[in-house]
Amino acid sequence: MASRIRIKGRKKIQGAISVGGAKNAALAIIPATLLAGDKCILENVPQITDVLTFQNILREMGASVQQTADNTFEIDTTEVTQWQAVSESMNSFRASYYVLGVLLARFKRAKAVLPGGCNIGLRPIDQHIKGFEALGGKVKIEHGTISVEAEKLTGNTIYLDVVSVGATINIMFAAAGAEGTTVIENAAREPEVVDVANFLNGIGVRVRGAGTATIRITGTEFRRGVTHPVIPDRIEAGTWLAMAVATNSDITVHNVIPVHLEAVIAKLKEMGAKVAEGEDYVRVISNGNLRSVDLKTFPYPGLPTDLQSQMMIALLHANGVSTIIENIFNNRFRCVPELQRMGVNVKVDGNMAIIDGPKRLSGSVVYATDLRCAAALIIAGLCAEGETTIENIFHLDRGYEKVVKKLRALGADIVRETYDELNDQMTIID
Ligand code: EPZ
């Protein structure tokens, strides 16, 4: 059934909004429970489709996955003997590839369907393969699956040719099953990498240096279950900060780690927004007189590529010409044609977008192309004259929980409808 969101724009929004657990940490820690071979309790797990999909994949592999409270799951992988993850759902998201590192560490062999994920450009896995092979793995890709086998895994030094969150985490997983110490150089420094490392240290793997460009992992035999709270989602938090600026609102975002948001906070201040930071909240007040700025996406601690589309909507409301340079993915301006349906023309030239503001958006029917574009179109709908209908909302559900409820609590005029094509029936669901 198709799901869409309808927004009547330019309603005043203000107040407080709370952020859920980090999608990109949870999607790595869930498969990492396979390394524990014991019962783990994960808290602050976001209720999003990719998480639910991964939990079902673990169940199919023989793990017990029980929800024990809102956003809390008990995952017991003691009985898992399955070293293959070949269900179709594996190619519905990118993070499924993490099963390779954990199964290789635990069983010295792994087989998985190649990953899917947002269509935002070329997303090779050559650095993951480079890491597995450096540890002694033999990799084979055929019929849409990837297999890795190793007589034994031996620690090694791996220099990543490109800073990759996925490859850093996947190599950490494989190294957990290797004899001796593995050193990952030019590692990703994202907070989600640190959260995964904290989980690994909790179950008995020895990881040092996470959060820096050099991470050392020492495989150990000893394992135990652990209770681990997932860190707050800095990208969800940044989405709401950009929304506050785009809509000239006073919004306080709770349950955040402000230091994770330094780059985006600095950019919003540069635009002229007022930003106050507390221990676990950030408040943004925007009065509409915004300055144009130049923005470049970089690996952490730079401005995250996952906030690029959302920041574009804020820049549409700034006075003058702003530019965005997308340095991470080669096709991440796919939201721009949808903005053209809303009456604005953002020029794209290679990896640069040129935004001439301020522009008034007009409500339209638009089509989300990926997770972060869906979030950006919601912000655009809140700013636009008239009604905006955002189709393909399944993209949003992959990474954001309870969006309609959260935004309605701020005063937004927003509903979600499900359209049953078979019976030609529309139902408002939240
Ligand atoms: C993770 O994707 C996130 N996804 C992405 O978030 C995020 O945009 C990205 O990191 C960058 O921060 C998850 O964690 C599930 P990368 P990942 O490997 O690991 C190139 C979202 O919206 N590369 O850090 O796939 C790659 O093409 C999603 O939540 C190689 O060349 O990203 C890209 O240009 C979208 N070879 C750059 O590195 C490889 O083997 C960074 O990619 C791996 C990556």
Side-chain angles (χ1 to χ4, degrees), residues 266-324:
K267 198 47 76 173
L268 294 176
K269 284 180 175 173
E270 203 183 314
M271 291 177 70
K274 287 190 181 49
V275 184
E277 294 173 40
E279 198 180 304
D280 63 352
Y281 70 86
V282 175
R283 180 179 180 188
V284 169
I285 303 175
S286 170
N287 61 9
N289 188 10
L290 298 171
R291 290 188 288 271
S292 57
V293 295
D294 296 322
L295 183 157
K296 295 180 179 69
T297 64
F298 280 112
Y300 191 86
L303 196 125
T305 174
D306 295 346
L307 286 176
Q308 182 253 98
S309 302
Q310 301 91 311
M311 288 296 286
M312 185 180 286
I313 311 303
L315 293 177
L316 281 168
H317 295 82
N319 298 307
V321 178
S322 300
T323 61
I324 294 179

Side-chain angles (χ1 to χ4, degrees), residues 334-367:
R334 296 184 63 221
C335 223
V336 168
E338 299 311 309
L339 296 175
Q340 281 160 355
R341 293 178 199 273
M342 299 181 80
V344 298
N345 186 19
V346 173
K347 289 188 192 60
V348 173
D349 178 6
N351 72 337
M352 177 188 275
I354 300 149
I355 299 111
D356 186 1
K359 284 283 186 302
R360 289 181 82 81
L361 282 76
S362 64
S364 169
V365 178
V366 289
Y367 299 83

